[in-house]
Amino acid sequence: MQWQPDGDQQSRLARAEMLRDIREFFYQRQVLEVETPALSQAANTDPYIDSFALVTNQTRYLHTSPEYAMKRLLASGSGDIYQICKVWRAEPSAKHHNAEFTMLEFYRLDYNMQTLMTEVDELLSQLLPSLKKHSNFHTYASLFLDKLGFNPHTIAEDTLKACVDKYVPEFRGELDHQGCLDLLLTHCIEPKLPNDRISFIYDYPATQSALAKTEQVADYNVAKRFEVYVGNLELGNGYQELTSYEDNAAVLENESSVRQQMNHEAVPIDQRFLSAIQAGLPECAGIAIGLDRLLMLKTDADTIKKVLNFSWENA
Amino acid sequence: MASYNTSEFKSGLKFMMDGDPYNIIENEFVKPGKGQAFSRVKIRNLKTGRVVDKTFKSGEKVEAADVMEITCEYLYTDGEYWHFMEPVSFEQFQASETAIADVKNWLKDQESYIVTLWDNEPLTFTPPNFIELQITECDPGVQGNTAQGATKPAIVQTGASIKVPLFVENGEWVKIDTRTGDYISRAKES
């Protein structure tokens, strides 16, 4: 029976140093560290993220990110806040995935997508000093145009399907429009991102906005949302936050109905979160960063298991 | 018919695709920050031995392959078929040259092999990790030369070519790692 940890002492030292550096970074910038509950009465409605449910006399859900609760704090006047916490997502274990992982989530008042990307770039450059300076910033559209020769916001359905057949012939099954873009992004674009520096991808399709603001660019809408990578390792997902109550409620209801169409388990919408937004969420931008993956880069580990004391199978 | 969800994918899982049984060699889960997740697998067609890459949407189902593994002993070949026996039931069956291609170098009388059967047809054979075989052809031994790493070519009773240390004599028995084909040590006659 294995009882020994997966990660070595080196990874434990590196984790402790990383946590200290993050806390110092936010202390310097007067961002307040907060805690919110891990077990909530409501769950994430995102159809592609599954929560663990804990059934006792009343069902509770392990949070998949502290987003809803932190936004309740923002609405109550907390000012700039950050949190380092464990989160859980019902996903298979893989090289870059462990169902329980550590997240850094932070929100900055009056920041927009651009200023948040700049701050994330500063934070990651400090935490990963061996990376080359001058990070890459690409729009979602420019990457598809450069690598695959089409604009993902305007491409016709049949042309997109033909691209999937051409570039990912090993795919089997049926995909909707966004599914095709996700396939091409993960199979043809992410693997080509450089390993020695940070890459930002921003201005996602509006259908991928989640709780980010959208904006019209040329003749289509984009989400003011970005992802940050080193190589093909996705580290974080940032938003210029959607503040209108109607829009937030519409997103959660739409996600719930997509869950239903996909035959995924129905989960309760976070009404306390929506009440907070109705009371008024200040203009802000926020991001969630996977700290175990960051640690993989810091310690040059090729699997997430190597930076965890006890990975999912060994927990 | 039993089926597997992609979340159950792991190496060694066997499923049906386009009427052929496949074995998963590698499985990787990929997911963009938001949106559709995928399972990328490297799989071997158990009939042809060909290895291919496939990508499935997470949550898709595949049909389980009705594949089972048994242990059996090698008996003999008649030149066209290779004959094996299940040692408990004494049931005998024959395998084609394609099915035994990977194990041909390590087939020895009365040795036990793991056989993958699909619809009761043998698909693949896995030899024991270590096997003892007699040298049938090699240059005379150089006594006293035990220098590390110095080797010479030799042929064993199955016809396989291996490399052995200089001191090994023709007719001697040697222990071989079947996964790498490497000489491990001298062995007693078996």
Side-chain angles (χ1 to χ4, degrees):
Chain A
M1 181 62 68
Q2 185 187 353
W3 61 268
Q4 299 92 337
D6 299 298
D8 59 10
Q9 184 69 3
Q10 187 57 39
S11 76
R12 289 184 278 279
L13 291 168
R15 181 180 291 267
E17 183 186 67
M18 173 182 74
L19 293 173
R20 207 181 98 178
D21 290 347
I22 292 169
R23 291 198 161 97
E24 182 59 27
F25 181 90
F26 288 115
Y27 178 74
Q28 294 289 339
R29 290 164 189 240
Q30 293 178 309
V31 180
L32 181 68
E33 180 164 12
V34 296
E35 285 188 356
T36 57
L39 278 171
S40 167
Q41 295 169 78
N44 190 345
T45 45
D46 185 324
Y48 293 105
I49 299 180
D50 287 319
S51 307
F52 286 99
L54 187 80
V55 183
T56 50
N57 54 343
Q58 168 214 41
T59 306
R60 293 255 166 178
Y61 298 89
L62 280 167
H63 66 172
T64 59
S65 103
E67 177 172 13
Y68 298 144
M70 288 182 79
K71 285 181 175 169
R72 284 166 66 187
L73 291 179
L74 292 165
S76 75
S78 66
D80 296 325
I81 48 174
Y82 78 97
Q83 175 161 201
I84 295 170
C85 60
K86 283 288 186 73
V87 296
W88 292 264
R89 295 183 180 188
E91 285 174 355
S93 297
K95 243 168 105 172
H96 300 162
H97 291 265
N98 195 69
E100 171 173 323
F101 60 102
T102 303
M103 183 175 272
L104 161 67
E105 182 145 332
F106 68 94
Y107 292 89
R108 300 288 258 146
L109 299 193
D110 298 321
Y111 274 42
N112 58 26
M113 184 180 72
Q114 189 55 52
T115 45
L116 183 63
M117 282 199 286
T118 307
E119 183 161 68
V120 169
D121 193 29
E122 285 164 9
L123 172 65
L124 296 182
S125 302
Q126 275 187 30
L127 296 174
L128 302 169
S130 59
L131 291 179
K132 292 218 172 79
K133 302 284 168 255
H134 306 299
S135 303
N136 289 332
F137 292 83
H138 305 280
T139 62
Y140 189 85
S142 72
L143 281 173
F144 277 84
L145 281 165
D146 284 358
K147 313 275 187 220
L148 302 169
F150 68 85
N151 184 331
H153 301 288
T154 55
I155 188 168
E157 202 67 34
D158 47 347
T159 324
L160 180 58
K161 292 257 153 72
C163 276
V164 165
D165 292 342
K166 179 177 169 192
Y167 293 110
V168 197
E170 69 271 25
F171 177 73
R172 288 176 67 91
E174 289 296 318
L175 288 170
D176 60 14
H177 191 87
Q178 188 55 46
C180 290
L181 295 176
D182 290 342
L183 182 75
L184 292 165
L185 182 76
T186 50
H187 285 65
C188 307
I189 294 175
E190 286 181 0
K192 290 183 183 150
L193 296 172
N195 284 319
D196 58 356
R197 69 180 74 223
I198 300 165
S199 297
F200 287 89
I201 306 179
Y202 64 97
D203 283 359
Y204 275 69
T207 54
Q208 290 286 89
S209 67
L211 296 177
K213 276 203 159 72
T214 55
E215 185 182 278
Q216 188 165 355
V217 173
D219 50 354
Y220 47 84
N221 284 322
V222 296
K224 302 311 279 176
R225 188 189 132 210
F226 66 90
E227 297 266 358
V228 56
Y229 290 82
V230 172
N232 69 348
L233 190 61
E234 183 234 341
L235 295 173
N237 185 7
Y239 299 155
Q240 184 170 332
E241 303 295 347
L242 194 59
T243 48
S244 123
Y245 166 72
E246 288 72 22
D247 292 348
N248 271 280
V251 168
L252 297 198
E253 269 146 36
N254 178 51
E255 286 182 343
S256 290
S257 67
V258 173
R259 284 189 86 82
Q260 207 169 7
Q261 285 163 32
M262 291 170 61
N263 276 327
H264 287 194
E265 207 176 324
V267 294
I269 286 181
D270 196 332
Q271 298 299 343
R272 286 185 169 81
F273 160 71
L274 287 176
S275 299
I277 304 297
Q278 196 163 25
L281 179 69
E283 290 299 321
C284 61
I287 185 169
I289 295 176
L291 292 186
D292 310 286
R293 290 184 180 178
L294 203 60
L295 200 56
M296 284 174 67
L297 293 170
K298 200 172 148 70
T299 58
D300 217 10
D302 55 356
T303 64
I304 198 164
K305 214 173 150 169
K306 289 189 181 159
V307 300
L308 298 170
N309 282 329
F310 302 109
S311 64
W312 194 246
E313 284 70 25
N314 192 21
Chain B
M1 190 52 93
S3 66
Y4 297 120
N5 184 291
T6 58
S7 64
E8 297 172 88
F9 278 10
K10 58 176 186 217
S11 64
L13 190 90
K14 294 167 186 74
F15 68 90
M16 298 299 298
M17 193 174 77
D18 304 331
D20 281 356
Y22 283 83
N23 181 32
I24 297 181
I25 303 170
E26 270 174 46
N27 170 47
E28 189 48 44
F29 174 73
V30 289
K31 191 177 193 303
K34 282 257 174 279
Q36 181 68 57
F38 301 97
S39 274
R40 300 176 74 162
V41 288
K42 196 177 273 300
I43 51 178
R44 172 176 280 120
N45 182 319
L46 290 172
K47 271 165 78 180
T48 64
R50 263 190 60 196
V51 173
V52 291
D53 292 318
K54 287 289 164 202
T55 296
F56 295 91
K57 245 187 328 191
S58 269
E60 294 271 284
K61 285 194 166 68
V62 292
E63 187 192 322
D66 186 16
V67 162
M68 60 181 238
E69 285 182 342
I70 61 164
T71 302
C72 65
E73 279 177 15
Y74 173 60
L75 298 176
Y76 65 94
T77 174
D78 57 25
E80 190 180 356
Y81 290 103
W82 280 255
H83 298 265
F84 293 81
M85 181 183 71
E86 205 282 305
V88 178
S89 64
F90 300 111
E91 194 181 328
Q92 290 192 20
F93 56 90
Q94 59 185 35
S96 67
E97 183 151 18
T98 324
I100 57 106
D102 288 347
V103 79
K104 201 173 175 183
N105 276 340
W106 317 119
L107 277 182
K108 185 173 107 176
D109 298 359
Q110 289 166 13
E111 188 66 71
S112 293
Y113 298 82
I114 296 168
V115 189
T116 307
L117 295 173
W118 175 59
D119 276 356
N120 290 320
E121 280 286 307
L123 285 176
T124 58
F125 290 81
T126 312
N129 289 343
F130 299 100
I131 193 166
E132 290 175 5
L133 294 171
Q134 190 175 22
I135 306 240
T136 53
E137 213 181 305
C138 79
D139 291 338
V142 183
Q143 290 311 318
N145 189 337
T146 54
Q148 287 291 310
T151 61
K152 62 182 178 184
I155 294 175
V156 291
Q157 66 189 92
T158 59
S161 301
I162 60 165
K163 286 205 159 34
V164 296
L166 299 180
F167 57 77
V168 172
E169 298 280 3
N170 194 15
E172 270 194 283
W173 288 77
V174 292
K175 184 175 174 184
I176 301 163
D177 186 331
T178 60
R179 294 160 296 186
T180 57
D182 289 344
Y183 164 93
I184 299 296
S185 65
R186 278 168 154 160
K188 289 206 181 84
E189 186 172 336
S190 59

